[in-house]
Amino acid sequence: MTTGGKLPTPTLDAPDVAPDGALFGLWNEELSGALKGFELPRYRVRQLETALYRQKVADLDEVTTWPKELRERVAAAGFRVGMPRIVETFTSADGTERYLIAGNDGQTVETVWMPEGDGGEEGDSSPEVAGRGSNAKKEWSRATICVSSQIGCAVNCQFCLTARLGILSNLTAGEIAGQVAAVLKRHEAEPGRDRINLVFMGMGEPFLNYDAFMGAVRLLAGPMEIPESRMTVSTSGIVPGILRFAQETVRPKLAISLNAPNDAVRESIMPITRKWSIAEVVDAVRHVPLRARERVTFEYVLLGGVNDSPEHADEVVKLVRRAQFPAKVNLIAWNPGPDVPFSMPAAEDVARFQERLREQGVPAFIRRPRGRDIYAACGQLKRTAKSA
Ligand code: SAH
Ligand code: SF4
């Protein structure tokens, strides 16, 4: 999604960063650099940042803090807002929404909105809810946005539907942060006021698109004002990425897709284990300086008959103890996909697995699947991905 037309005005000092003229995704020096030819005072650049990242304008003409003449001149030079836009919405019975969001070249990426209601259903009969005007009652009190970092994924985990796509392309920082902007705008959500969490757990492996992913984090934590403590990134265990992540000053919380009690089982479902063993991944995580009260999450997809026995749970306990950093385990019952040769775990096995971890002192939580009916749940993002 990175290619596009060239700027039509060769006289301008055209930036390398936005060859298609999209401004969304640039801020600070990058933004002033892109607009260097206009010799804008700093406050004009700030006004544009506010318009792009707080107001989330769709068109340069909506930057009303700028004189009309300036908006027109910048547009005439080939610049545009270029914020990713929602082209299709699927709504689940549980309130989850899955979107196809189009970047600048029309390729779509998947993003999921998961509201947490406080008795939201009662609001359904209210006529204000649908209109969501300024007085409208919100149906959610907090929400989580699940963000994609790539189109498709190269990692090839056997249980994941996204893997079936292979890797189609890397997203840019603007395209990653733009998913969040598009969804916030749709729900009129404001991170300063509303409790918005981000999970980088959509399509793709964030640590295989590291620079763009971290660029997006800086944009989200900076002008988009989402605290880094409300963000979680999940990785399948890309050791060089984890080591780079350990050096970051602004960074999300870390989740590791463990998914198996030992290397042998993990290798059979996550071939990446041949490259980096569980011990190597855990060693790399030890380099990440954790903040006060921060815990690393081990995600564990329970696959019926594969990794869900009490003995497996005991192995996980040992593994978490050996890790020697504060950790918790998030258990996810496998979400099915067509032609994916696994089965869902029995409900009692899921409960027993959790109990077994808990009674041995390992904090364990069962993650409720969201939006399974619209293929929005973990590992189900693929069905409708289209290439331009
Ligand atoms: N690529 C990254 C982040 C996206 S996947 C990673 O793998 O960590 C987010 C989570 O969904 C991972 O923990 C992954 O193991 C899990 N997952 C993948 N397919 C799933 C499925 N079909 N059912 C349940 N969880 C799944
Ligand atoms: Fe990629 Fe994550 Fe799916 Fe594995 S689970 S294929 S790393 S998206």
Side-chain angles (χ1 to χ4, degrees):
M1 297 175 78
T2 50
T3 50
K6 285 267 173 293
L7 284 172
T9 39
T11 47
L12 255 180
D13 198 350
D16 299 334
V17 272
D20 58 358
L23 293 167
F24 193 96
L26 308 180
W27 64 296
N28 233 335
E29 284 88 28
E30 275 175 359
L31 191 55
S32 348
L35 299 172
K36 196 157 69 189
F38 300 96
E39 295 181 353
L40 299 179
R42 180 73 202 133
Y43 78 94
R44 288 285 183 219
V45 178
R46 289 234 175 81
Q47 287 172 333
L48 180 59
E49 279 176 0
T50 304
L52 290 174
Y53 302 116
R54 303 278 298 278
Q55 288 163 249
K56 305 177 188 74
V57 297
D59 193 280
L60 273 176
D61 206 42
E62 294 169 41
V63 187
T64 48
T65 44
W66 274 14
K68 196 164 176 50
E69 166 278 323
L70 177 59
R71 289 178 242 160
E72 284 170 358
R73 205 150 42 92
V74 171
F79 289 102
R80 58 208 179 77
V81 167
M83 184 171 102
R85 48 182 212 295
I86 296 174
V87 292
E88 216 170 328
T89 302
F90 305 85
T91 306
S92 163
D94 68 15
T96 300
E97 290 185 349
R98 178 168 65 96
Y99 313 102
L100 299 188
I101 298 188
N104 292 324
D105 65 0
Q107 275 208 78
T108 55
V109 66
E110 309 212 357
T111 310
V112 181
W113 161 265
M114 295 169 280
E116 297 290 340
D118 47 355
E121 275 89 69
E122 287 127 38
D124 283 350
S125 56
S126 157
E128 290 166 351
V129 173
R132 186 59 66 76
S134 53
N135 304 324
K137 181 179 169 298
K138 284 192 308 194
E139 296 144 72
W140 47 275
S141 54
R142 61 202 162 89
T144 300
I145 302 174
C146 179
V147 183
S148 293
S149 54
Q150 299 181 305
I151 303 190
C153 184
V155 178
N156 200 22
C157 304
Q158 301 296 298
F159 49 82
C160 172
L161 209 48
T162 305
R164 300 300 173 91
L165 289 172
I167 175 75
L168 298 177
S169 67
N170 271 327
L171 300 178
T172 63
E175 287 164 341
I176 297 171
Q179 296 165 52
V180 178
V183 174
L184 291 177
K185 186 168 177 170
R186 171 178 169 84
H187 293 279
E188 294 180 12
E190 282 175 31
R193 180 195 65 199
D194 301 315
R195 239 178 91 183
I196 303 295
N197 296 304
L198 302 184
V199 293
F200 297 93
M201 298 187 185
M203 294 168 86
E205 169 47 63
F207 284 7
L208 290 180
N209 186 19
Y210 190 87
D211 290 321
F213 154 67
M214 276 309 299
V217 166
R218 284 187 280 273
L219 196 57
L220 290 158
M224 289 181 66
E225 300 190 325
I226 301 180
E228 53 181 318
S229 57
R230 294 260 166 87
M231 304 181 197
T232 304
V233 62
S234 171
T235 177
S236 56
I238 309 295
V239 164
I242 298 171
L243 294 174
R244 279 185 78 183
F245 189 72
Q247 310 294 319
E248 303 287 352
T249 43
V250 175
R251 60 157 184 85
K253 291 185 284 190
L254 181 62
I256 303 289
S257 293
L258 177 64
N259 298 341
N262 56 52
D263 282 338
V265 174
R266 196 170 191 264
E267 226 178 278
S268 70
I269 55 174
M270 296 180 73
I272 188 106
T273 311
R274 268 179 246 135
K275 193 148 189 169
W276 295 291
S277 66
I278 297 176
E280 286 169 312
V281 172
V282 167
D283 274 349
V285 174
R286 280 203 198 97
H287 288 85
V288 180
L290 299 180
R291 294 171 281 240
R293 288 184 302 281
E294 185 177 356
R295 287 188 293 192
V296 173
T297 302
F298 285 112
E299 292 164 283
Y300 197 99
V301 180
L302 288 159
L303 304 159
V306 173
N307 62 0
D308 61 345
S309 75
E311 294 72 34
H312 291 145
D314 293 346
E315 277 188 84
V316 172
V317 169
K318 290 202 191 94
L319 196 151
V320 172
R321 284 197 189 136
R322 271 201 309 271
Q324 289 176 330
F325 46 72
K328 64 170 172 161
V329 175
N330 272 357
L331 300 170
I332 316 160
W334 178 68
N335 294 308
D339 307 321
V340 191
F342 291 97
S343 48
M344 288 167 65
E348 58 269 25
D349 290 343
V350 176
R352 196 176 44 170
F353 203 96
Q354 179 191 32
E355 199 40 49
R356 195 99 175 179
L357 295 181
R358 286 197 160 170
E359 62 196 19
Q360 297 179 77
V362 173
F365 304 88
I366 297 175
R367 276 213 348 222
R368 189 163 51 102
R370 297 291 307 259
R372 264 189 190 160
D373 54 341
I374 54 160
Y375 274 81
C378 295
Q380 293 189 313
L381 300 183
K382 132 162 203 184
R383 290 202 87 194
T384 44
K386 313 176 207 175
S387 314

